[in-house]
């Protein structure tokens, strides 16, 4: 009971210290509110209002038909420019696409001579350039085919493909972006808060006060783990209920309490990582540099940004030792697909095992650090 009381009181001390740190409070508030909203809405899910210019050197009914096929929301209203303005306009970044319809275009099409249409693409705008080229090719080919047939009616395809998009029927990018942002922020904030709490005590000299008190390194570390983990867990629940479901209207298919249980287990592992990193770094700038080396691989290689199946085999194997790999799989299964405990229990066990190993390693390092200070 004495150990439990010490852990409880030390954890309350950590919460009070965090309350007196306005920058950390701003970071938590931003990460679980505006940060999630920006991640969900900043990047359009499809080609959206891409600027396009058309050089119509033919001035025929077919060229006019092609020009009229580009309209919002995929493209802006096409700007009709002369051929000599294409390079200066592309150099200035005014247009992502510049389509050049050559002279005698309609006559060559009717004669079956297969004229060449030039499409200039500003490839530095990757999100639009990648999909926009395919859109424009389909539009031009479709308009030419309809012009040659003399009707917009299309022949039925020999095979009918029934497409069913599961778990995200509208293919909305906000559904994916918002949920993945909260998953990434749980990992980031838990490491930052625990590591910063330890470094803050070292910089303020309060760690020496703890050394003369009848408390053990286990109690000191456990108090930081539960206090900072609780803050992140409460912020995560708030973001799910009020930001994702409330403001963004993203439906959560699975059980939020089950997800929070898994997030709590994940926080046990990541807060231990934060303690370990806090014992290595001697100042907040060093901790920030170390955080970039650790956090980016955790987030980029865990399967949240890119499917793990598309990664090299060695990366897939190494990342099995990271708690984020199992947390991302568990969170996506629950929040996207409505999975229950009967589906995600392997991820729960993996996170518990990895968390226990990380906690023991961090505790050993923390004891050595405390010993050198003493």
């Amino acid at each position: 009971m004495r150990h439990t009381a010490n852990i409880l009181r030390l954890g309350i001390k950590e919460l009070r210290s965090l309350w007196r740190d306005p920058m950390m409070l701003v970071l938590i508030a931003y990460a679980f509110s505006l940060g999630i909203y920006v991640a969900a809405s900043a990047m359009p899910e499809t080609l959206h209002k891409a600027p396009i210019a058309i050089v119509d050197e033919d001035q025929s009914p077919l060229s006019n038909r092609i020009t009229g096929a580009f309209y919002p929301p995929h493209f802006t209203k096409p700007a009709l420019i002369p051929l000599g303005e294409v390079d200066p306009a592309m150099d200035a970044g005014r247009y992502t696409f510049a389509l050049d319809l050559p002279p005698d275009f309609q006559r060559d099409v009717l004669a079956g001579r297969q004229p060449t249409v030039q499409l200039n693409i500003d490839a530095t705008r990757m999100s639009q350039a990648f999909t926009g080229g395919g859109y424009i090719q389909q539009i031009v080919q479709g308009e030419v085919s309809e012009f040659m047939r003399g009707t917009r009616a299309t022949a039925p395809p020999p095979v009918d493909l029934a497409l069913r998009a599961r778990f995200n029927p509208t293919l909305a990018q906000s559904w994916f972006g918002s949920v993945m942002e909260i998953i990434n922020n749980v990992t980031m904030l838990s490491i930052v808060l625990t590591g910063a709490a330890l470094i803050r005590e070292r910089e303020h000299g309060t760690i020496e006060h703890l050394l003369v008190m009848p408390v053990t390194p286990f109690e000191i570390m456990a108090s930081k783990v539960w206090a900072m983990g609780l803050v992140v867990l409460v912020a995560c629940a708030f973001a799910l209920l009020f930001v994702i479901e409330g403001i963004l209207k993203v439906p959560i298919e699975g059980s939020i309490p089950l997800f929070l249980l898994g997030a709590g287990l994940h926080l046990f592992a990541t807060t231990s990582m934060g303690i370990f990193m806090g014992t290595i770094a001697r100042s907040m700038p060093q901790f920030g540099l170390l955080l970039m080396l650790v956090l980016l691989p955790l987030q980029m290689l865990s399967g949240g940004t890119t499917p793990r199946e598309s990664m090299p085999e060695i990366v897939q194997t190494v990342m099995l030792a990271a708690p984020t790999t199992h947390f991302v799989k568990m969170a996506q299964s629950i929040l996207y697909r409505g999975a229950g405990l009967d589906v995600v229990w392997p991820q729960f066990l993996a996170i518990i095992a990895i968390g226990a190993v990380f906690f023991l390693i961090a505790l050993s390092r923390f004891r050595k650090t405390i010993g050198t200070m003493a």
Side-chain angles (χ1 to χ4, degrees):
M1 293 298 296
R2 182 177 63 84
H3 292 297
T4 304
N6 288 341
I7 293 174
L8 178 62
R9 294 190 183 98
L10 289 173
I12 294 175
K13 177 191 73 69
E14 295 295 336
L15 294 177
R16 289 175 176 173
S17 299
L18 179 62
W19 182 255
R20 291 192 293 268
D21 192 338
M23 294 305 299
M24 284 297 178
L25 295 178
V26 170
L27 176 61
I28 296 172
Y30 172 82
F32 288 101
S33 57
L34 185 59
I36 295 175
Y37 182 84
V38 170
S41 58
M43 182 180 296
E45 59 269 18
T46 57
L47 191 67
H48 187 67
K49 292 185 178 179
I52 182 172
I54 295 180
V55 179
D56 189 356
E57 300 183 81
D58 190 32
Q59 298 295 327
S60 64
L62 177 56
S63 64
N64 292 333
R65 180 173 180 154
I66 293 175
T67 301
F70 296 94
Y71 47 82
H74 293 317
F75 299 93
T76 60
K77 184 179 179 180
L80 299 177
I81 62 174
L83 182 60
E85 291 186 11
V86 172
D87 288 340
M90 296 289 287
D91 293 341
R94 293 199 297 269
Y95 306 109
T96 304
F97 306 99
L99 183 66
D100 182 10
L101 302 175
D104 301 326
F105 174 63
Q106 177 177 309
R107 186 178 65 181
D108 291 341
V109 168
L110 294 175
R113 285 194 283 266
Q114 296 183 338
T116 300
V117 176
Q118 185 183 64
L119 176 62
N120 299 277
I121 303 177
D122 183 356
T124 60
R125 302 178 179 182
M126 285 298 298
S127 61
Q128 292 184 339
F130 182 74
T131 58
Y135 270 66
I136 294 174
Q137 183 179 12
Q138 292 178 6
I139 290 174
V140 172
Q141 291 179 348
E143 292 298 325
V144 171
S145 298
E146 291 174 359
F147 179 80
M148 294 296 292
R149 290 195 308 265
T151 176
R152 290 189 178 273
T154 58
V159 177
D160 187 17
L161 178 64
L163 178 63
R164 293 183 176 91
R166 301 186 62 186
F167 314 122
N168 187 358
T170 61
L171 302 179
Q173 192 272 341
S174 60
W175 289 27
F176 175 81
S178 59
V179 174
M180 284 311 306
E181 184 69 11
I182 197 172
I183 292 173
N184 291 335
N185 287 344
V186 166
T187 300
M188 179 190 71
L189 264 299
S190 58
I191 296 177
V192 169
L193 292 180
T194 49
L198 180 59
I199 294 175
R200 182 170 56 240
E201 284 195 340
R202 184 187 298 123
E203 291 178 344
H204 293 173
T206 55
I207 191 69
E208 286 80 3
H209 298 167
L210 293 176
L211 295 178
V212 299
M213 296 176 63
V215 294
T216 64
F218 172 80
E219 294 171 353
I220 298 174
M221 179 174 167
S223 66
K224 297 181 186 300
V225 167
W226 83 256
M228 298 300 103
L230 178 63
V231 171
V232 176
L233 198 63
V234 171
C236 176
F238 170 83
L240 276 174
L241 295 174
F242 295 100
V243 179
I244 292 182
E245 286 191 319
I247 297 177
L248 296 173
K249 306 299 181 183
V250 176
I252 301 299
E253 296 295 333
S255 170
I256 292 181
L258 181 61
F259 166 74
L260 293 178
L261 175 61
L265 297 176
H266 177 65
L267 289 169
F268 173 61
T270 52
T271 50
S272 300
M273 293 175 60
I275 295 291
F276 180 79
M277 294 165 59
T279 60
I280 296 177
R282 295 299 177 183
S283 63
M284 283 302 296
Q286 289 184 7
F287 180 74
L289 294 175
L290 184 61
L291 181 66
M292 288 189 292
L293 296 177
V294 174
L295 189 61
L296 287 178
L298 287 179
Q299 293 185 347
M300 299 297 294
L301 303 179
S302 60
T305 304
T306 303
R308 296 186 68 248
E309 293 76 13
S310 63
M311 301 179 188
E313 290 288 341
I314 187 173
V315 174
Q316 298 184 41
T317 303
V318 170
M319 288 303 295
L320 288 175
T324 50
T325 300
H326 308 281
F327 178 57
V328 168
K329 185 175 182 179
M330 177 270 296
Q332 290 181 343
S333 298
I334 296 175
L335 300 179
Y336 290 146
R337 297 183 283 274
L341 185 60
D342 58 324
V343 175
V344 298
W345 67 266
Q347 287 76 49
F348 273 59
L349 292 181
I351 293 174
I352 292 173
I354 295 173
V357 172
F358 281 6
F359 185 85
L360 293 176
I361 294 175
L363 180 60
S364 175
R365 173 72 186 181
F366 185 63
R367 282 173 174 164
K368 293 179 180 179
T369 305
I370 292 292
T372 57
M373 291 181 179

